[in-house]
Structure formats: C-alpha cells, structure tokens
Amino acid sequence: MLHKSVYRLRRKAAACAVCAALLLTPALAASFTDVPQNAWYAAAVNEVVDAGLLSGTSATTFQPSGKVTRAMTVTALWRLAGSPAPKSSQSFSDVPSDAWYSQAVAWAAETGVASGNGKGAFQPGNLVTREQLAVFLYQYAQSQGLDTAQGKLSAYTDGNTVSKWAVDGMEHAVGAGLISGSKGKLSPKANATRAELAVVLERLMTPAVG
C-alpha cells in the first residue's frame, strides 16, 4: 500500500510536468515511427513527450529500446520538478557548462538526487541499470521532502540479487508502483531502457485515485 505522501508526489509531479510543457515544444509522440500504437509503452511515451520530460532521438524516432544514461535520467527528473534553477553552480570535470544537461546535473547534485563519483566527475554518459534508476527515484522523493514507499522484494524470484546500496531505492520503486517486474523478476542489473523510463515518468505524472 502506498503512503499518502506518494500520492501527493504524483499529484505534484503532474503539476510540474505541465510547467515543463510550457517551456518545451517537443515533437508529438504519435509521429514516432518506432513506437507502435499498441506497444505497452506507447501511451507513456505520448504523455512524457507531450509534457516535455523526454524528447525523441530525431523528429520521427524515439528509440524505445535505447539505453538510459545518467544525464538523461537527472534531466527528466529535473524537468519533472519544474526545471528549477540551481542555487549554486556544481562543477564536474566532465560536465561542460553549456551542456544540455548541465543545469539538471547541478540541481541533482545540490538536492541529493544524484552525486558524482567522488573524484570530481559525474559520468553523464554512463548507462543506468534498473536498480540505479530505482535509487534515483528514491532520492528524488526524498529531495521533495516526502515519505517513501516500502515494497517487498521477496515477492520477486531475483529480489535477493538487488545490491545492498539499492535495496531502499528498489523497495520504494516497487512499493510506489513505479517499477514492476517481468515474469516474476526485477532484473536489477539490466540496463534501463528509454521505454521503461517513459513508463516510470508517466506513473509519477499520473495522479493516484482514492
């Protein structure tokens, strides 16, 4: 069962997404030739692209099976939060000040949504696994001052393979209904895809009923 604050997170996220949409004019997801209308992620892609949280890889493609990077993840969450201006500049040796993700990285580091590698680098191009995505989501919820959910990893046959540092994050993601398994597995070490990220963001945007 979700905490009431998780419901509030979804309602707040929906409002923030509207603000982000006013700042961006992405291509309509319906124009993506690689997103079949009956795909399990099609509706989510439409929602998040129209809201400006994600964009296509070209005017006609979304690349749903493409892998998610750290830069992509923090930028999507930054937009979900309403694209707030960082209070201070966070300098990483591998984040140029004019990079499309520079403000998002600074915001993520400032709020605790993400951190660098401890050696002055953020590694924006590194791929994100499903358990790493769960941690981003957990830290995002904490950054908004909200309680987190607690799901049961034991319900999945590979729940015990989640890294110790990712357990809290995965429990939150599962308990909040943001990440679900496939055929009884969470596949925590698998790389997250753009389709999966779209579905997660759409779930955050959707106000809970009840």
Side-chain angles (χ1 to χ4, degrees):
M1 185 175 180
L2 297 180
H3 289 281
K4 290 183 179 179
S5 58
V6 175
Y7 293 132
R8 293 198 299 272
L9 168 60
R10 290 187 175 183
R11 287 194 292 268
K12 182 177 180 180
C16 290
V18 172
C19 294
L22 296 176
L23 299 176
L24 301 168
T25 55
L28 293 176
S31 66
F32 296 136
T33 58
D34 57 354
V35 178
Q37 291 185 357
N38 62 347
W40 58 271
Y41 51 81
V45 170
N46 275 312
E47 289 291 334
V48 301
V49 170
D50 291 346
L53 303 184
L54 292 177
S55 59
T57 54
S58 76
T60 58
T61 59
F62 183 78
Q63 290 187 350
S65 61
K67 301 301 185 290
V68 173
T69 65
R70 285 169 54 82
M72 189 186 307
T73 303
V74 297
T75 298
L77 293 176
W78 173 64
R79 291 171 177 170
L80 184 65
S83 303
K87 295 179 181 178
S88 60
S89 60
Q90 180 67 45
S91 177
F92 290 104
S93 60
D94 55 354
V95 178
S97 59
D98 59 350
W100 57 269
Y101 50 81
S102 61
Q103 285 197 74
V105 169
W107 165 83
E110 181 179 278
T111 58
V113 172
S115 60
N117 65 353
K119 299 178 181 179
F122 185 77
Q123 300 175 315
N126 280 18
L127 300 183
V128 173
T129 63
R130 285 167 58 83
E131 67 180 6
Q132 288 172 336
L133 176 59
V135 172
F136 277 124
L137 298 173
Y138 178 64
Q139 292 173 169
Y140 175 82
Q142 290 183 313
S143 77
Q144 303 301 299
L146 301 169
D147 293 335
T148 54
Q150 279 192 312
K152 293 184 178 180
L153 302 188
S154 59
Y156 300 89
T157 58
D158 60 350
N160 62 345
T161 68
V162 175
S163 300
K164 290 184 179 180
W165 51 264
V167 168
D168 288 344
M170 189 62 83
E171 286 180 342
H172 165 67
V174 168
L178 302 177
I179 290 180
S180 56
S182 176
K183 298 180 180 179
K185 292 185 176 182
L186 283 172
S187 302
K189 305 298 192 296
N191 290 323
T193 66
R194 285 170 55 82
E196 290 171 342
L197 179 58
V199 170
V200 166
L201 293 171
E202 188 270 341
R203 288 171 177 170
L204 278 172
M205 289 170 57
T206 304
V209 177

